[in-house]
Amino acid sequence: MNRVGYYRLPPVRGVFFSPVQEERLLLLGCQEVFSDRCLTNAIIRPGLDKALAALAPGGTLAVLSLHALAGTTTDLLEAVLKLKARGLHLVVAQPAIDTNADPGFFATCEILTAFNAERAMVKAAEAALVSKGGGAQGLKAGAPPSQSEGGD
């Protein structure tokens, strides 16, 4: 299948379908639409799994917002890069993203993922340096002012 849609339902009792979201995804050119219920810390998303299984390499997953894919930036980056690794494209209605027309979004996600990994390494190195008693002297609050500053 060329383009499938995916959305998440709000955690409201009795709501099992969103005709508005489904219609918007169909207007984006989706041949089929899948959904899941939004749950706190939902890691298992059978609707998303079905949507991805329906796509052949080169196919496109369409979502209305990035929130459909993840609840945190780190999880979003992971989800987007999994799409790229499978040879899939992503279309987002808001903000407007279409990796068919401009694959730069994937490149940006790769850069942000690398930055996040590097930042974790830097934080670990800083913590190790401080715990060994080195490197923290200039960072302590209330360090005495430089003696080169003259006054009358």
Side-chain angles (χ1 to χ4, degrees):
M1 197 166 287
N2 189 34
R3 183 177 286 199
V4 300
Y6 174 73
Y7 68 92
R8 293 193 307 159
L9 291 163
V12 176
R13 182 175 290 195
V15 176
F16 298 100
F17 174 70
S18 175
V20 173
Q21 290 188 73
E22 182 136 345
E23 182 178 344
R24 288 182 64 201
L25 288 165
L26 292 171
L27 289 172
L28 286 175
C30 297
Q31 289 87 27
E32 197 170 356
V33 176
F34 300 88
S35 67
D36 282 317
R37 179 170 299 284
C38 225
L39 299 172
T40 305
N41 298 325
I43 296 173
I44 300 170
R45 296 188 182 162
L48 180 57
D49 293 340
K50 289 177 186 175
L52 296 176
L55 291 168
T60 302
L61 177 67
V63 296
L64 298 176
S65 76
L66 293 171
H67 293 284
L69 297 176
T72 68
T73 304
T74 302
D75 291 343
L76 174 64
L77 294 171
E78 182 180 319
V80 168
L81 293 180
K82 283 182 181 178
L83 293 174
K84 182 182 184 241
R86 289 192 51 199
L88 300 174
H89 291 280
L90 176 65
V91 167
V92 182
Q94 188 63 30
I97 297 169
D98 184 348
T99 64
N100 290 292
D102 181 7
F105 182 69
F106 284 142
T108 300
C109 289
E110 288 173 332
I111 290 166
L112 292 172
T113 299
F115 170 80
N116 195 44
E118 289 168 2
R119 183 65 191 133
M121 288 187 307
V122 168
K123 284 180 88 171
E126 288 172 347
L129 183 63
V130 169
S131 71
K132 291 180 182 175
Q137 292 83 4
L139 301 176
K140 291 183 181 176
S146 168
Q147 294 298 323
S148 64
E149 295 177 347
D152 288 350

